[in-house]
Amino acid sequence: MNALEYALTLLSRSDKTERKLYEALLKKGFSEEESADAVERVKDYGYAGDEAFSRRYVEFNSDRKGRKRLEADLRLKGVSEEVAAEALGNLSEEDEFETALNLARKKFSPSDENGFPREEKAKIYRFLAYRGFGQGVIRRVLEEIGE
């Protein structure tokens, strides 16, 4: 099996960034030149590309993660800062707020009619911050569920 065939096999199993595909080819034992050529060819065919990968990643994960976490995940996967920012461009702060609010409501429920105690609000804050939501969004969520 040559590098191009192996690259296509990998892509048929799961979506990969250009860097991750290149690294997988190197790990399989293909030379740097063969690996780079295979990545360029699948990119030319339209089967791979950081832009498309990033858009799909944001689309499928924006209902569970905030902007900061999505950007960090993309950067860890080898996507450039510009491509990550472009993919996140369609994610509005209002969408992010709705997602955070839904996650908080699903995970936490008030203990009584007085709303959430202070300790519970701290847990909600940490829960949402870990998922990459910004302070402004988290504060809005805490205000919303505190009412």
Side-chain angles (χ1 to χ4, degrees):
M1 179 179 284
N2 66 29
L4 178 60
E5 291 170 344
Y6 188 67
L8 291 170
T9 300
L10 289 174
L11 290 171
S12 72
R13 294 182 191 152
S14 68
D15 219 359
K16 298 202 178 324
T17 62
E18 294 168 28
R19 184 178 98 191
K20 292 292 183 183
L21 182 59
Y22 177 76
E23 290 171 354
L25 292 169
L26 289 177
K27 188 176 179 180
K28 182 69 174 173
F30 296 105
S31 71
E32 290 181 9
E33 186 179 325
E34 288 174 309
S35 299
D37 184 50
V39 169
E40 281 305 311
R41 290 186 58 195
V42 295
K43 202 172 139 185
D44 290 343
Y45 296 152
Y47 296 136
D50 288 351
E51 294 83 5
F53 173 85
S54 299
R55 281 192 308 275
R56 285 189 300 272
Y57 188 84
V58 168
E59 180 182 332
F60 291 120
N61 291 288
S62 63
D63 62 339
R64 295 182 305 279
K65 299 177 182 181
R67 177 180 294 277
K68 290 178 182 180
R69 180 72 181 267
L70 290 168
E71 182 177 11
D73 289 352
L74 288 171
R75 298 287 289 135
L76 284 173
K77 293 178 182 297
V79 173
S80 73
E81 190 175 329
E82 297 79 30
V83 172
E86 184 180 320
L88 290 165
N90 294 333
L91 186 62
S92 72
E93 188 171 323
E94 197 56 38
D95 292 338
E96 195 175 13
F97 167 72
E98 289 298 324
T99 298
L101 184 60
N102 290 336
L103 287 171
R105 284 183 172 156
K106 192 182 297 184
K107 178 89 173 162
F108 301 94
S109 58
S111 56
D112 60 21
E113 67 280 345
N114 295 330
F116 291 95
R118 185 181 191 97
E119 303 81 37
E120 197 76 4
K121 285 185 178 181
K123 285 182 186 178
I124 295 168
Y125 190 97
R126 285 191 305 273
F127 172 78
L128 294 174
Y130 176 76
R131 281 153 185 78
F133 295 97
Q135 283 186 334
V137 170
I138 296 172
R139 283 191 183 120
R140 281 182 61 196
V141 167
L142 291 175
E143 288 171 10
E144 178 77 20
I145 63 174
E147 295 173 356

